[in-house]
Amino acid sequence: MEKLRFMFTKISNNLKRSLLLIITISFAWSCKQNVEKKVISETNEKPNFIFILVDDLGKEWFTSYGASEINTPNIDALVNMSIKFNNVYSMPQCTPSRVALITGQYPYENGWVNHYDVPRWGHGANFDADKNPSFAKALQESGYKTCIAGKWQINDFRIEPNAMQKAGFDEFCMWTGYESGNKPSDKRYWDPYIFTKEGSKTYEGKFGPDLFSDFVIDFMNTYKNNPFCIYYPMVLTHSPFVHTPLEPNVKTKYEKHRAMVRYTDFIIGKILDNLETSGLAKNTYVVLTTDNGTSPSIIGKRNGKYIRGGKAYLTENGINAPFIVKTPDNKHFETDALVDFTDMFPTFLELAGAENKADLNLDGHSFAKVLTEKAQSTNRDYILSMGGLPGHINKDGWLVNALQFRDRVLRNEQYKVYVDTLQKVHRIYNLKEDPYETKNLIDDANLQSVVNEFQTKVDALPSLDNNPKYTKTKGLPTDVKKAFLDKAAERIKHRKNNMMGLATEAQFLKLSTIPVENKK
């Protein structure tokens, strides 16, 4: 009996050891599989980004923001599966908006305070990717394939044919901008003049926005197995106002503008359709916004008010941009979170799991938690906008700003202040009660503590704005005369204010009903 008990115990122990060995091997195999799955998961979970920047279009042309004179079904469909932001500041004009977006820095830091069309005006000025940060370069370093299509206009591709690669873009299809001395290059719509890796040429009979959007879609499909970032700064809806392939018979400036807005909507529909059919939608962030307000020559209607385009002005119609973000899981809500254009760079980095290196010197704040966790606010206590109108060339031949401290605006969730060139707050508006900025409350004794708080923030800003930082490229015989830029820069100093008020119904009706050729 004792011998039998011993044998049973021995068999039992062997079984336990065998079972323990099986469990250990299974656990190790499971861990190996989990590690492999995690590596694969981390690779697949790097999100894609598509950033669409419409040119010269305010909220009064987005039905989701209360516009009544336009139908944009594709944008509406996008909004219905996206996050709609109400308080996002661009800069008031093209160049400062775009450079702030690219660098994550305010114009007073990156130096591009004024507007400057490099290929048209020249003098060796350029966006120097060796001296300035670029979100595209940062994402490239994190393993992203990058693409840009549309409008750039801060380098002259005749002089710098590798400018797009230096800025961090693997693939590109660009309108060259209006190159001085090259008349065909002024065309961005019909018969567009476009720069690719094959060089620059006119595409006879083609419509530029179709070429750019097709390029974007081809890039998406080519690199769908890689994390990618597409920056699509549209040429639409900037002047000259033209007919479109969908509406060839429009005649007046107003009709052409509306047709161009509708074509913008059509192109966005193409991109969204491809996202769905390719299966990329489930891992892609789509941002739709605009670089500044509509041209002041155009009037729209929003929430019953007649809104004159605010491009180049600091009123809300010039800088409070429509801003729509589709997340991979289609979060859908509306937010008053404070965001401005410097925030996109750090947000891309956080969503991509990339490092925000100290040497990037970013002014922006990531709002990734609004997108991933439905946070209702960012860690900002104010947003800022500034800039626009031409800079000039100094006696030593360098592009410099027209003013040493450019006027600007700051706002929090309720109040907005205007700061003059002497660095003093001189206007304040309660945007919750007065969204069209009709009543300056600077003399309201009850608001002096608010004014003082804003003044403290202004005092903490640099007292001098930087000038653009670049190594000068060679000039061209066609560089614009310095006197032209000097005269243009003087407009800033003699401007009565930086505000564009509401239009009247009579002004709207005159614009929207009378053909251009009949106006005197």
Side-chain angles (χ1 to χ4, degrees), residues 10 17 109 150 242 245 282 288 297 305 311 322 396 400 445:
K10 186 176 181 181
R17 281 194 294 270
E109 176 62 34
V242 300
K282 63 180 181 294
L288 173 62
S297 68
K305 301 288 186 180
K311 176 182 178 177
D396 297 317
V400 295

Side-chain angles (χ1 to χ4, degrees), residues 216-250:
V216 163
I217 290 171
D218 287 345
F219 178 88
M220 290 164 57
N221 295 334
T222 300
Y223 293 102
K224 63 183 179 182
N225 294 322
N226 301 84
F228 63 74
C229 176
I230 295 170
Y231 175 37
Y232 181 19
M234 285 185 166
V235 294
L236 289 162
T237 58
H238 196 289
S239 61
F241 302 115
V242 300
H243 68 278
T244 70
L246 294 180
E247 298 179 73
N249 299 317
V250 289

Side-chain angles (χ1 to χ4, degrees), residues 1 8 38 83 98 110 131 200 204 236 247 272 304 308 328 355 366 375 380 400 414 424 430 447 497 500 503 518:
M1 178 64 73
F8 181 78
K38 184 178 181 184
I83 305 169
R98 293 159 191 269
N110 63 47
K131 295 180 180 294
S200 297
E204 295 284 351
L236 289 162
E247 298 179 73
L272 293 176
R308 184 177 292 281
E355 183 183 359
S366 172
R380 280 187 166 278
V400 295
Q414 182 169 1
K424 297 300 180 185
N430 184 339
L447 290 181
N497 62 54
M500 174 59 74
N518 291 343

